[in-house]
Each structure stands twice: as C-alpha cells, then as structure tokens.
Amino acid sequence: MSTIYLDTVIKADIQIVFDLSRDIDLHQKSTFKTGEKAIAGRTSGLIEEGETVTWKAKHLGVVQTLTTKIIRMEKPNQFIDVMQKGAFKSMKHQHIFRREGKNTIMTDIFEFQSPFGIIGKIFNKIFLKNYMKNFLLIRNQLIKTTAENSTNRERSERQSS
C-alpha cells in the first residue's frame, strides 16, 4: 500500500476550504488536463456523506472510470472517500481540515494499492505515487487560490462598504 501525505496552508475560513474540497465542479476544473468528468452519481455541486460520484478521465493514455463514495463526513473538519469501482486494488482518501490562526490547514492522506501484485508495487514506486501526488498538488493549488481569492474579495467588499 502506498500513502501520500500533503499539508496545504490556506489563508481562508475552514468552511470555505471544506466546501471547495468537495465541490465536483471545481474538481473538474482542476483536472482539465485529463479531461476528468463526473458522469454518474453526484455530478455537480457539493458531494455529501453517503453519495457516490463516478469519474471518467484519461490517465496514462487510457480512458478509465473510478467510482468513489463518501463514507464519513464531519463538517467542516473532515470527510473520507473510498473507491467502490476502478483501476486501483483499493483507494482511500482522507480530507482533514483544521484552523490554525487565520489559516486553514488542509491535510490529504491518500492511500492506494495497485493491482497486479509485484508488478503493481514496482509501478507504484517508480511512477504512480509521484503521478498521484502531482495530481493532488494541482487540485490543492486550485482550492487554495479559489479560497484565498474569495476571502480577499469579501474583505475588499467589506472595506468599501
């Protein structure tokens, strides 16, 4: 099993960051390079506990589908999604949020296991873990930029009123 840990510091309210992290439409914007689209289950808006989403995208030159389900949600502190169907042998993504002063710390713990036994393990170490980390970093950067721009816009509107 491979695990990716990422912490992203965001200068925005925890609720804003939490909601952006579960926004299907924003996720699709962050994955434009792979053409990722929500095709079944929740296909737009904010995903909730118990809901599923099926994604279709081109990864590594192959069109793939992945269905995940939100198995746990504690607003605005965390949610967990797990793979129901897809190319991984298993996949679990914990999204954890905590306040630190005026910032929100967004933590991703992404655990996955490739199929194909020893070949899958070698592929993980050589390529897939870095591929998935970069995929998450791009997503997190869009969440950060969107949240901080929203916060700055609200601040400016209050000051000009």
Side-chain angles (χ1 to χ4, degrees):
M1 171 124 5
S2 293
T3 304
I4 299 167
Y5 295 92
L6 292 175
D7 279 329
T8 306
V9 178
I10 303 173
K11 295 175 184 171
D13 181 73
I14 192 171
Q15 188 66 54
I16 291 169
V17 177
F18 181 82
D19 286 345
L20 289 172
S21 296
R22 59 195 185 98
D23 187 318
I24 302 290
D25 304 299
L26 188 68
H27 181 84
Q28 289 177 116
K29 286 179 187 173
S30 75
T31 59
F32 72 93
K33 287 183 180 178
T34 60
E36 194 154 324
K37 286 282 187 205
I39 60 167
R42 168 68 79 150
T43 58
S44 68
L46 304 180
I47 195 160
E48 299 287 348
E49 185 171 2
E51 292 184 324
T52 63
V53 59
T54 299
W55 301 100
K56 183 177 182 178
K58 191 172 190 176
H59 290 281
L60 310 173
V62 178
V63 175
Q64 301 179 31
T65 59
L66 173 77
T67 301
T68 60
K69 180 177 184 176
I70 305 297
I71 61 165
R72 184 172 176 196
M73 185 175 289
E74 296 173 23
K75 296 177 182 180
N77 300 309
Q78 73 166 321
F79 66 96
I80 300 169
D81 58 281
V82 296
M83 184 188 78
Q84 303 291 296
K85 294 181 205 166
F88 294 108
K89 185 174 181 181
S90 66
M91 187 215 80
K92 178 180 177 182
H93 189 175
Q94 297 177 64
H95 308 257
I96 302 165
F97 309 86
R98 71 180 190 284
R99 286 188 179 113
E100 196 170 278
K102 293 183 179 182
N103 297 329
T104 297
I105 310 301
M106 179 174 71
T107 301
D108 290 280
I109 304 172
F110 187 82
E111 302 169 279
F112 65 98
Q113 190 172 8
S114 295
F116 311 122
I118 190 72
I119 294 169
K121 287 180 183 179
I122 292 168
F123 183 66
N124 272 1
K125 286 187 180 186
I126 292 172
F127 181 77
L128 191 58
K129 188 171 182 179
N130 282 333
Y131 179 85
M132 293 309 301
K133 182 178 180 180
N134 288 329
F135 185 82
L136 293 171
L137 286 169
I138 291 167
R139 172 189 166 272
N140 290 0
Q141 185 58 51
L142 182 60
I143 292 168
K144 177 181 174 71
T145 301
T146 304
E148 290 177 353
N149 287 343
S150 171
T151 299
N152 290 336
R153 210 173 13 259
E154 288 175 12
R155 205 175 293 131
S156 293
E157 288 171 2
R158 280 194 305 268
Q159 289 173 353
S160 63
S161 299

